[in-house]
Amino acid sequence: LNALVGNIGLIILLIGTTLVTYCMLYQYPSTSSFDTHWLSHGFCVTNPETTWINSHALSFYADAVLAMIIAHLYTTAQTTPAKSDATATPPLQAAMLRGAIMGVFGHGAGHLYLGLHPQGMDLRFRPNNDDILISCASTAVTVMAFAAIFQGTMPLSSSQRLFL
């Protein structure tokens, strides 16, 4: 049953990745489906003219605080002696807490990058354009943010399996 659930999750992930790749390669979403404000920022961004109080930066602040709370919960669970086996932290729960720390923080770091460097939803690699460095940096940050999220939500999976 666990293998079936995992396979269904991987199929959903593959379908989602395929749809996002299609949208990025063929310049969708377009103005026929989305307004220009959403396309220029990639999200519904509040205060887009500011750097430190736009909604991307606020997402980073919230995720950083939440990561610290999760780190505290993890540390407390690891250092507090259990009164019995029934109250001990199960290994899977401890692994999920440990992984969630970087997963939540990585998500926030991705939003912070978007808040500091807004460029909308077009993250395609375009070597003939003047913005090759921006394109490469955006792709690298996106990959690292998703890597942190995947590693955090699937802490018992090997890194090699997650990134292939």
Side-chain angles (χ1 to χ4, degrees):
L1 180 64
N2 289 342
L4 177 63
V5 171
N7 288 338
I8 290 171
L10 289 173
I11 290 169
I12 292 170
L13 181 62
L14 178 64
I15 291 169
T17 303
T18 303
L19 287 173
V20 168
T21 302
Y22 175 81
C23 288
M24 288 170 58
L25 291 176
Y26 292 99
Q27 299 183 8
Y28 291 110
S30 67
T31 54
S32 64
S33 303
F34 296 90
D35 69 10
T36 55
H37 179 74
W38 190 89
L39 290 172
S40 66
H41 298 288
F43 290 86
C44 295
V45 178
T46 59
N47 303 317
E49 67 283 351
T50 66
T51 300
W52 298 108
I53 58 170
N54 65 48
S55 52
H56 284 300
L58 296 176
S59 179
F60 169 71
Y61 305 146
D63 282 349
V65 169
L66 185 57
M68 287 188 279
I69 292 169
I70 295 170
H72 174 72
L73 291 173
Y74 174 73
T75 304
T76 302
Q78 295 303 105
T79 58
T80 304
K83 295 178 183 170
S84 69
D85 286 342
T87 60
T89 304
L92 179 59
Q93 181 180 353
M96 292 296 289
L97 281 172
R98 184 181 65 246
I101 297 167
M102 282 311 295
V104 170
F105 186 78
H107 174 260
H111 276 284
L112 181 62
Y113 177 81
L114 289 174
L116 295 174
H117 307 283
Q119 70 261 332
M121 290 300 290
D122 193 356
L123 299 177
R124 291 170 297 145
F125 183 74
R126 295 170 296 182
N128 296 330
N129 285 356
D130 294 335
D131 58 355
I132 186 72
L133 292 177
I134 294 171
S135 180
C136 289
S138 297
T139 301
V141 168
T142 302
V143 167
M144 288 187 292
F146 276 103
I149 292 168
F150 288 152
Q151 187 66 44
T153 57
M154 298 178 272
L156 302 180
S157 296
S158 71
S159 296
Q160 179 183 5
R161 186 170 187 171
L162 287 175
F163 298 120
L164 291 180

